[in-house]
Amino acid sequence: MSSSKTIIKNTLFLYIRMFFSMGVSLYTSRVVLNTLGVEDFGIYNLVGGIVVLFSFINGAMTNATQRFLNFEMSKNSDVAIRRVFSVSMNAHMLIMGVVFLLAETIGLWFLNYKLNIPHERLYASNIVFQFSILAFCTNILSVPYHASIIAYEKMSFYAWMTIIEVFLKLVIVFLLVLFLYDKLILYSMLTFGVAVVIYLAYRFSCRKMFKTCHYQLIHDKKIFKELLNFSGWSLFGNMAVIGSNQGVAMIMNIFLGVAINASMGIANQINAAVYGFVSNFQMAFSPQITKTYASNNLEEHKKLLFQASRFSYYLSLVLAIPILLNTKFILALWLKIVPPYAVEFTQLTIIVSLLQALSGPFWMSANAIGNIKKYQIGISLIIFLNLPLAYTILYYHLSPTYVFVVNIATSLLAYFFRFGYVKSRIQFSLLDVFKSIYLKIIVVSVSSIFILLGIKQMFFSIQQTFLNVFIFSFICVTVTLIIIVGVGISKSERIIIYNFIK
């Protein structure tokens, strides 16, 4: 009950953060698209994506840092926690140097000689690339502080920091409209400025809140080796995810030009807004999943794993259904200028998001287990299948929507692999999993979709106006929530939620 209350409380803080962030992000995306234009907006997503391509290194270290911090916290040793933090900071400074070197060599070559960018915008693209590198390197140094906040479960502070960050990004939008300088270059400069301000705020605040976040020059070969060993195998999974996303974007750019990257950027932003509900929830679960395994409380660990998987899916479904049933109208209302294939890309990406929501807790459990060599090799090979399959689809001039259909297939395959890996390490009954997760989400999904399609056909099929779509979306959320509470959760889970609300 205590851990459940902590998770619910932290989830509420993260949702406050997410609602503010999502509202501002949706507004700023529209203004930025209309201010930059489809071509420059596509260039920014593409060029910034080259730098993001190197973030698989950073993502691996984030998971490693949080895992090792949570393991030491389960032992209540501040000295050990401080050593992990300091060694982690050493590792991130090394990563920053590696990323900078790779970006200024391989990345720069790829930008200028391989990507399909209009010649007159090549200079601006290079300036954007440089500021993107600097912003990314700044974010790398922030990772140990982020990991510490999550490990200590200080989600209220994390929420406030995000609200400040999105407020600064809102200021960027107004400055972008105000000044007459090259909009693309100005946007990248201001984005870098926000990254620096946020890093300094995290550093100062964490040093003040946590005595374990004071950096010391420590050369602990044992911790450093364990961190690098864990993160080294995590590189495969992170590299596969980033490489798949950005690699597919570059393949589509080579075949179809920058306009298709604008459509992908829109789909990814809507998906980020939807998955933001789930990622916040999973972030609240993550420390507890690691701590229960570290303390060898496997029954509690399995219980949290099943709950997190099911509730993650429900949270995605609540937002996914109204968007899937009103995608075309929502994009037209939001963007005014809807890039080609944006509707189809958005719908297919949201289906991928539902599968990722379901599988997220299983990779958290795999990280908690720690011995991830076979896991990361297997999952990386599955996710990397997106690249050759996407190339083949576009090479034979098939519709680019098939690229996203392939992504759904590989995401489903990745889920089954994660499930099998965790089951082989932590024994549990398939019948229990079916009753606890799959049966309930199937009943909730099928019931919600059939009921809402019937309501739309009877009352909202004649004319789509803002009022009609708003009312129907509200009905979608309400009906889905009622079905979830009625048949999707257990009696004990309803009691926990009701008691917390009370």
Side-chain angles (χ1 to χ4, degrees):
M1 179 68 77
S2 177
S3 64
S4 297
K5 286 185 176 180
T6 301
I7 290 167
I8 295 173
K9 181 182 71 174
N10 286 332
T11 303
L12 288 175
F13 282 126
L14 291 170
Y15 277 174
I16 293 171
R17 158 189 176 269
M18 184 218 47
F19 279 120
F20 191 88
S21 176
M22 185 174 64
V24 174
S25 295
L26 292 174
Y27 172 74
T28 55
S29 296
R30 170 181 169 173
V31 176
V32 169
L33 174 62
N34 287 304
T35 304
L36 295 183
V38 172
E39 184 176 272
D40 275 4
F41 186 75
I43 290 172
Y44 183 82
N45 280 281
L46 179 65
V47 173
I50 299 176
V51 179
V52 175
L53 192 61
F54 296 107
S55 68
F56 63 87
I57 304 173
N58 190 25
M61 287 303 299
T62 303
N63 294 333
T65 302
Q66 185 185 332
R67 178 191 180 275
F68 280 92
L69 285 172
N70 279 134
F71 257 77
E72 298 303 335
M73 285 175 186
S74 67
K75 303 173 186 176
N76 295 317
S77 174
D78 286 346
V79 175
I81 296 171
R82 186 182 294 112
R83 292 184 73 83
V84 170
F85 174 83
S86 297
V87 173
S88 171
M89 186 62 76
N90 292 339
H92 278 82
M93 285 189 280
L94 176 64
I95 289 170
M96 184 180 69
V98 172
V99 168
F100 187 81
L101 179 64
L102 291 174
E104 291 290 2
T105 52
I106 298 172
L108 206 57
W109 166 80
F110 196 82
L111 169 67
N112 286 283
Y113 295 102
K114 293 297 178 182
L115 292 183
N116 182 13
I117 296 175
H119 179 74
E120 65 275 9
R121 299 304 290 154
L122 195 57
Y123 171 77
S125 299
N126 275 273
I127 300 297
V128 169
F129 183 69
Q130 295 301 322
F131 278 109
S132 297
I133 293 171
L134 294 174
F136 183 67
C137 288
T138 304
N139 290 334
I140 287 176
L141 293 179
S142 300
V143 168
Y145 298 109
H146 290 192
S148 297
I149 290 167
I150 296 169
Y152 278 105
E153 301 183 74
K154 298 292 184 181
M155 303 307 179
S156 58
F157 173 78
Y158 191 69
W160 277 112
M161 286 301 300
T162 304
I163 289 173
I164 293 170
E165 183 176 359
V166 296
F167 174 76
L168 292 174
K169 290 180 179 179
L170 185 61
V171 172
I172 284 178
V173 170
F174 290 115
L175 292 176
L176 196 64
V177 176
L178 186 63
F179 289 99
L180 299 177
Y181 189 67
D182 188 302
K183 306 293 186 182
L184 185 59
I185 295 175
L186 180 62
Y187 186 59
S188 63
M189 291 171 59
L190 294 173
T191 301
F192 166 63
V194 170
V196 172
V197 171
I198 294 301
Y199 162 71
L200 294 174
Y202 269 114
R203 184 177 183 274
F204 173 78
S205 301
C206 286
R207 285 171 60 87
K208 187 174 181 181
M209 287 192 300
F210 314 126
K211 58 184 178 181
T212 55
C213 285
H214 289 262
Y215 173 74
Q216 296 174 329
L217 188 60
I218 296 174
H219 299 285
D220 191 317
K221 291 183 179 180
K222 183 177 182 295
I223 297 176
F224 192 79
K225 184 179 179 181
E226 289 177 351
L227 272 169
L228 289 184
N229 183 53
F230 184 91
S231 59
W233 289 113
S234 295
L235 284 178
F236 287 95
N238 286 276
M239 182 170 59
V241 173
I242 300 298
S244 174
N245 292 339
Q246 299 303 326
V248 167
M250 291 173 190
I251 290 170
M252 294 186 79
N253 168 261
I254 292 169
F255 281 97
L256 301 171
V258 293
I260 207 72
N261 295 114
S263 299
M264 291 186 70
I266 294 300
N268 288 332
Q269 287 184 26
I270 293 179
N271 179 56
V274 174
Y275 195 70
F277 276 81
V278 185
S279 62
N280 285 307
F281 180 70
Q282 292 179 347
M283 189 186 298
F285 257 98
S286 181
Q288 294 288 339
I289 287 177
T290 304
K291 288 175 182 176
T292 51
Y293 184 84
S295 59
N296 204 32
N297 189 355
L298 296 184
E299 287 304 314
E300 182 67 16
H301 181 83
K302 286 185 282 188
K303 180 183 175 183
L304 286 172
L305 176 61
F306 298 159
Q307 284 182 332
S309 183
R310 187 159 33 87
F311 277 89
S312 295
Y313 179 86
Y314 290 157
L315 289 169
S316 277
L317 189 69
V318 167
L319 274 188
I321 289 179
I323 294 175
L324 287 172
L325 296 180
N326 300 289
T327 311
K328 188 174 182 180
F329 183 85
I330 291 171
L331 289 184
L333 179 66
W334 172 34
L335 299 173
K336 293 184 180 178
I337 305 170
V338 181
Y341 292 106
V343 174
E344 295 88 344
F345 288 179
T346 298
Q347 292 173 330
L348 293 170
T349 302
I350 287 176
I351 295 173
V352 173
S353 182
L354 287 169
L355 292 171
Q356 291 173 341
L358 195 62
S359 66
F362 285 93
W363 69 252
M364 291 178 191
S365 180
N367 280 346
I369 293 168
N371 186 15
I372 58 172
K373 177 181 177 180
K374 293 181 180 179
Y375 167 78
Q376 291 293 0
I377 291 174
I379 206 72
S380 300
L381 292 174
I382 292 170
I383 296 174
F384 263 131
L385 287 174
N386 284 304
L387 295 178
L389 292 174
Y391 186 89
T392 303
I393 288 168
L394 297 177
Y395 180 80
Y396 286 103
H397 308 291
L398 298 175
S399 171
T401 55
Y402 286 115
V403 173
F404 288 82
V405 174
V406 164
N407 193 12
I408 293 173
T410 55
S411 296
L412 187 61
L413 185 60
Y415 171 74
F416 287 128
F417 179 83
R418 289 184 176 109
F419 177 87
Y421 178 86
V422 172
K423 185 183 182 304
S424 67
R425 269 68 179 176
I426 304 172
Q427 298 300 319
F428 48 77
S429 166
L430 287 175
L431 182 61
D432 289 342
V433 177
F434 180 77
K435 291 191 295 185
S436 177
I437 301 177
Y438 303 128
L439 180 60
K440 291 182 178 180
I441 67 170
I442 290 171
V443 171
V444 168
S445 301
V446 173
S447 302
S448 300
I449 291 171
F450 271 98
I451 291 172
L452 291 169
L453 281 175
I455 292 173
K456 184 177 184 180
Q457 186 65 31
M458 286 190 293
F459 301 107
F460 298 97
S461 60
I462 298 176
Q463 184 181 12
Q464 276 199 317
T465 64
F466 174 78
L467 181 60
N468 281 350
V469 171
F470 178 80
I471 293 172
F472 179 63
S473 298
F474 179 78
I475 292 171
C476 287
V477 172
T478 304
V479 169
T480 307
L481 285 174
I482 290 172
I483 294 172
I484 289 171
V485 173
V487 299
I489 63 177
S490 66
K491 182 179 179 181
S492 61
E493 289 165 346
R494 279 194 290 270
I495 291 171
I496 290 173
I497 295 171
Y498 291 157
N499 286 342
F500 184 84
I501 294 172
K502 184 179 178 181

